[in-house]
Amino acid sequence: MLTFTANDAKSRFGELLDRVQREPVQVTRHNRVVGVVVSAEDYEAMRRFYANRLRGTLASAAESAAQAGLTEQELERLLADES
């Protein structure tokens, strides 16, 4: 993965934008990675991937809870603020 320093990213922003169309680019500050810049297409693909993964996890958890006998009422009681 290509790396730009924060200063280079600032001064060569147009080049950075061109590069991220081909591959993600790390941005470092004081020799530490502080961010990764990706294309809008890559970002949307990652967003869809994680949203789908979360939906699957939630469906699996709901199924497990139902099989264990957790009711809506019991869930509400467990999640109620008891302060």
Side-chain angles (χ1 to χ4, degrees), residues 1-46:
M1 181 181 308
L2 186 64
T3 300
F4 273 50
T5 64
N7 194 42
D8 284 343
K10 178 180 165 184
S11 63
R12 298 167 39 205
F13 190 66
E15 182 183 344
L16 174 69
L17 292 178
D18 291 341
R19 295 278 189 155
V20 300
Q21 298 310 308
R22 295 188 293 275
E23 65 176 320
V25 176
Q26 290 186 114
V27 178
T28 61
R29 178 180 288 153
H30 305 295
N31 296 318
R32 203 179 64 136
V33 176
V34 294
V36 177
V37 183
V38 297
S39 69
E41 289 173 356
D42 286 349
Y43 173 75
E44 285 303 319
M46 286 187 289

Side-chain angles (χ1 to χ4, degrees), residues 57-69:
T57 299
L58 292 173
S60 176
E63 184 178 325
S64 294
Q67 288 175 355

